[in-house]
Amino acid sequence: MVAPAVSARYEPAEQESRTATGWVPTWALGRAVLLTGLLLIAGVLLGRVDLIVLAAPFAIGTAYALRRRPAALPQVWIAADEGHLVEGGELTGAVTVGNPDVVDYDVAVVRSRVSPWLRVERATIAGAAAAGTPSAVVPSVADRPFVTAVPTAAAVDLELSGTALRWGRHPVGPAGARVAAAQGLLVSRAVITEPARVKVYPKTEPFDAVEAMPRAAGLVGAHHSRRPGEGGELAGVRVFAPGDRLRRIDWRVSLRARQLHVAATLSDRDAEVVVLLDVLAEAGRSGGVSGAASVLDTTVRAAAAIAEHYLHRGDRVSMLEYGPAARRLRPATGRRQYLTVLEWLLDVRAESSPHEPYDQVFGPQLLSADALVVVLTPLLDERSAQMLARLARSGRFVVAVDTLPADLTPPKDRGWAEVAYRLWRLDRDTMIGQLREHGVPVVGWAGAGSLDQVLRDVARLATAPRVGAR
């Protein structure tokens, strides 16, 4: 991804003071002209030839430096990594300064801003060898200026390398460059680029779940259903009927019973998994891929892990947001859907709103009755608990994953902060207990095996006979 260069904005009074080409004199040019003029005037008034001779080098040097004046402004580009960059991966990028003029740029000062979640560890000035100097490798920090020379019809790259600390769309830039020419007597106005966005995908935490699903919805998949069909799970032996395949004949049973029997199997079917992200509140401080995880970090990484697991098994996965935006990703299967899920997760933001999220977004027309709904929520808002209760009462198979950090500590700068935090914890535990009474299992996210037991319980409840059924 390359961002083009744009001109910097200036006030009208400042624009009038600049030349039409965008180049202005420096203090060095002003001092040379002033000193030359004073020496010439003093020499003429005092009749001293030595003062005129002393002014001659300043006048000749200034005229020689200005014999070829630059006309074109420098060009600046930002190139960001367009690969599949994951949290903790190596970041590569470059800020390029080009010289389209016929005059060499004596000094080019380049400065670029970088997102705090992109830790730039090294900056290599490449292309400087064309200017007669070796390439330089310098330790880099964000928003640090770099100085180099740019020859005619050439470009110098400031290559950035480092580590991506957190998922999301992070900017590299804007970057600006200012150059000096004519031996430092003229300087250009700043040329600034638009920032380039680097996509950093969430690191998928290891996750594995049991085979059992509450209900299978599709006709073909990896889960064993309770319906007879063409599958790999043996359901028994029955008498041959018209339409049965000959390869299904069980010859041992047929010879013993003196009647054709076939092996009956259960159909393999796929399931639909809906991952619902609660984005009404954020808590905790994110420390990046190797630090503490906030609510949003845990939510996004767990969603990516769950989606990868079920999509790898051939199930259909859809994504929903419980928040003011109420974004939705339609259910689909395959690797293409997994990449789409990762792109969709990059735009997840915590948005608090006093209004109730739209109920029609989570209506029965969008949530299939056979779908497994995995709700990733910190349970910091009462509306989230009410939403879980409504889904359970509608007959959906709901599993709530608690994404609140376990090491969340109360602020200690207030006298009653710790007591209020303990009361809030008790109220939250009571709310979780009420949800479990409504049939909503609540389990904390702990990576691999987090949902094994709760999915077994949900699958067992789905196959159990209902009370009052005949």
Side-chain angles (χ1 to χ4, degrees), residues 163-242:
T163 307
L165 300 180
R166 191 173 185 257
W167 58 272
R169 304 180 191 270
H170 304 298
V172 176
R178 247 185 135 170
V179 300
Q183 298 182 8
L185 299 181
L186 295 177
V187 64
S188 72
R189 59 185 172 87
V191 177
I192 302 177
T193 67
E194 294 291 339
R197 299 286 176 176
V198 177
K199 295 185 291 186
V200 181
Y201 297 104
K203 182 179 180 180
T204 304
E205 298 183 1
F207 171 73
D208 194 9
V210 294
E211 299 288 337
M213 290 293 292
R215 289 177 186 169
L219 297 177
V220 178
H223 301 287
H224 303 306
S225 71
R226 296 184 299 273
R227 294 187 177 182
E230 294 294 331
E233 185 72 10
L234 183 64
V237 179
R238 59 176 176 82
V239 178
F240 180 86

Side-chain angles (χ1 to χ4, degrees), residues 21 25 125 195 208 281 294 350 447:
T21 59
I125 301 178
D208 194 9
S294 65

